[in-house]
Amino acid sequence: MQKERYSIGDASKKCHIPVQTIRYYDDIDLLKPQYRDTNSKYRYYSKSQLTTLMIIRRLRDIDFSINEIREILTNTNLQSYEERLLNHKKSLENTMQTLKKSVSVCDDLLAKIQLGRKLNEGEIPNVIRLENFPKRMLLCQRETMKLYCNYEVSLDRWYNILMESFSSNLFVKGNVFVIYHCHPLDQFLMKDCDVEFCIQVIPEAGVTTETDIDSNHIVNWECKLAATLCHLGKYTDIIQSHIKLLQWINKNGYSVIGPISEEFIISPLDTNDENLYLTKIIVPIEKNQK
């Protein structure tokens, strides 16, 4: 004969739901036991209630809230159920996109910290290099800044560019850049400077063209030849690295042919230890004609 009443322990074993959880469903009136022994005061669940427990478990497994489950159990209309599932699926997909962005940011931060550790261990020498930078998609915000002081890192503008990347169909996939559209070293001389704050990004999955991106500040940046120098340490000392790099360019028969950039590999957004800041100076150059 088929059993018709199930103790809370039986229900727990059959549905693989902890006893404490089933008691909680009872306390909040989500699923109260159908039977109660007047003598022992024990409560028992019906077979149909075990089915309901499995439905609850399945909906909880896909992250439905208790209130949402309560409404689903109350309204058994299939069309309503379908609409709830479709809306919930969309919410889960949005959450997945947010988590993917978070993983991407975590990967970039991890790469920064690993590079900084290698520098501190002396694995990457602090020397001038000639580099090629293939085309990158940059999200940029450009403005003329009055009496610009290069020593004062504009954290609010960095934050703004990061927030714009999150609100657009973009993943952050690189570092913050600052591009100085002025004469070399003017950014240190308290002059009005045309400054562009940028961050490297890539489109989200399914975004194939720039017209699909929710931003008007996309720039495709590349540099076929640049002299670079990594400055390790306080940003207030970076002018010395700029001068060293410009002297090397002149001495070796090159000319500056474009705006100078700084790439913040390890920045104030990554650590509060100024001695660990790592900034790559990038100067587009070409060889002088003989």
Side-chain angles (χ1 to χ4, degrees), residues 139 164 167-170 207 210-217:
L139 179 65
E164 184 174 347
S167 64
S168 306
N169 292 323
L170 298 166
V207 178
E210 290 182 21
T211 57
D212 296 324
I213 297 171
D214 299 332
S215 176
N216 297 319
H217 304 139

Side-chain angles (χ1 to χ4, degrees), residues 211-247:
T211 57
D212 296 324
I213 297 171
D214 299 332
S215 176
N216 297 319
H217 304 139
I218 295 297
V219 173
N220 287 315
W221 178 86
E222 66 179 326
C223 185
K224 295 182 179 179
L225 181 64
T228 67
L229 176 62
C230 285
H231 175 80
L232 180 62
K234 297 180 180 180
Y235 197 60
T236 51
D237 300 330
I238 199 170
I239 187 173
Q240 302 301 328
S241 294
H242 274 264
I243 292 172
K244 176 181 177 181
L245 187 53
L246 291 171
Q247 288 175 335

Side-chain angles (χ1 to χ4, degrees), residues 178-180 184-185 187 242 246 256 258-262 281-284:
V178 177
I179 303 175
Y180 302 104
L185 303 182
Q187 68 268 33
H242 274 264
L246 291 171
V256 178
I260 294 173
S261 306
E262 291 174 352
I281 306 167
I282 303 169
V283 184

Side-chain angles (χ1 to χ4, degrees), residues 160-287:
N160 289 340
I161 203 75
L162 285 169
M163 289 305 98
E164 184 174 347
S165 69
F166 271 93
S167 64
S168 306
N169 292 323
L170 298 166
F171 283 116
V172 172
K173 202 62 179 177
N175 303 314
V176 172
F177 282 75
V178 177
I179 303 175
Y180 302 104
H181 298 273
C182 58
H183 293 296
L185 303 182
D186 271 4
Q187 68 268 33
F188 297 100
L189 302 178
M190 297 295 291
K191 293 185 176 182
D192 295 350
C193 286
D194 183 357
V195 184
E196 196 166 19
F197 297 86
C198 312
I199 192 164
Q200 186 179 353
V201 293
I202 60 172
E204 292 181 2
V207 178
T208 57
T209 65
E210 290 182 21
T211 57
D212 296 324
I213 297 171
D214 299 332
S215 176
N216 297 319
H217 304 139
I218 295 297
V219 173
N220 287 315
W221 178 86
E222 66 179 326
C223 185
K224 295 182 179 179
L225 181 64
T228 67
L229 176 62
C230 285
H231 175 80
L232 180 62
K234 297 180 180 180
Y235 197 60
T236 51
D237 300 330
I238 199 170
I239 187 173
Q240 302 301 328
S241 294
H242 274 264
I243 292 172
K244 176 181 177 181
L245 187 53
L246 291 171
Q247 288 175 335
W248 183 94
I249 290 169
N250 291 331
K251 180 180 178 180
N252 288 274
Y254 292 96
S255 295
V256 178
I257 60 169
I260 294 173
S261 306
E262 291 174 352
E263 179 181 4
F264 295 86
I265 299 172
I266 297 182
S267 74
L269 295 181
D270 308 313
T271 178
N272 57 7
D273 187 344
E274 295 182 48
N275 295 311
L276 297 179
Y277 293 169
L278 178 62
T279 311
K280 177 179 282 191
I281 306 167
I282 303 169
V283 184
I285 58 173
E286 66 179 5
K287 193 70 173 178

Side-chain angles (χ1 to χ4, degrees), residues 22-239:
I22 299 176
R23 285 201 180 106
Y24 172 68
Y25 294 158
D26 182 5
D27 292 339
I28 64 174
D29 295 329
L30 180 64
L31 184 66
K32 301 191 77 65
Q34 186 171 337
Y35 306 107
R36 181 168 183 168
D37 188 304
T38 55
N39 295 321
S40 66
K41 307 299 183 183
Y42 288 156
R43 299 180 178 188
Y44 296 92
Y45 293 87
S46 67
K47 184 172 180 60
S48 64
Q49 285 188 306
L50 297 193
T51 302
T52 302
L53 269 175
M54 291 301 294
I55 293 172
I56 293 172
R57 176 182 173 174
R58 189 176 189 188
L59 293 174
R60 288 296 288 157
D61 284 346
I62 57 175
D63 211 30
F64 271 95
S65 70
I66 293 295
N67 287 336
E68 289 172 324
I69 294 173
R70 192 190 306 276
E71 292 174 3
I72 289 171
L73 295 176
T74 302
N75 182 2
T76 57
N77 180 278
L78 287 181
Q79 182 177 350
S80 174
Y81 197 0
E82 179 185 6
E83 290 173 356
R84 288 185 178 278
L85 285 170
L86 287 171
N87 290 334
H88 189 66
K89 179 185 175 185
K90 184 176 181 180
S91 175
L92 291 174
E93 289 172 344
N94 290 338
T95 300
M96 285 175 60
Q97 288 300 103
T98 300
L99 289 174
K100 285 181 180 179
K101 287 184 178 180
S102 297
V103 169
S104 177
V105 172
C106 185
D107 283 341
D108 285 334
L109 181 55
L110 179 61
K112 290 168 181 278
I113 299 306
Q114 289 173 336
L115 179 56
R117 180 181 56 79
K118 288 180 180 179
L119 276 167
N120 283 327
E121 294 173 357
E123 295 179 21
I124 302 176
N126 184 19
V127 297
I128 294 170
R129 302 172 182 273
L130 293 178
E131 294 189 55
N132 168 264
F133 294 88
K135 185 178 291 185
R136 303 179 180 183
M137 179 182 287
L138 299 182
L139 179 65
C140 302
Q141 294 178 356
R142 182 172 175 175
E143 63 178 297
T144 298
M145 303 184 68
K146 300 294 183 181
L147 301 176
Y148 183 73
C149 179
N150 183 265
Y151 304 128
E152 297 176 1
V153 179
S154 303
L155 291 179
D156 56 331
R157 290 173 176 82
W158 289 18
Y159 179 80
N160 289 340
I161 203 75
L162 285 169
M163 289 305 98
E164 184 174 347
S165 69
F166 271 93
S167 64
S168 306
N169 292 323
L170 298 166
F171 283 116
V172 172
K173 202 62 179 177
N175 303 314
V176 172
F177 282 75
V178 177
I179 303 175
Y180 302 104
H181 298 273
C182 58
H183 293 296
L185 303 182
D186 271 4
Q187 68 268 33
F188 297 100
L189 302 178
M190 297 295 291
K191 293 185 176 182
D192 295 350
C193 286
D194 183 357
V195 184
E196 196 166 19
F197 297 86
C198 312
I199 192 164
Q200 186 179 353
V201 293
I202 60 172
E204 292 181 2
V207 178
T208 57
T209 65
E210 290 182 21
T211 57
D212 296 324
I213 297 171
D214 299 332
S215 176
N216 297 319
H217 304 139
I218 295 297
V219 173
N220 287 315
W221 178 86
E222 66 179 326
C223 185
K224 295 182 179 179
L225 181 64
T228 67
L229 176 62
C230 285
H231 175 80
L232 180 62
K234 297 180 180 180
Y235 197 60
T236 51
D237 300 330
I238 199 170
I239 187 173

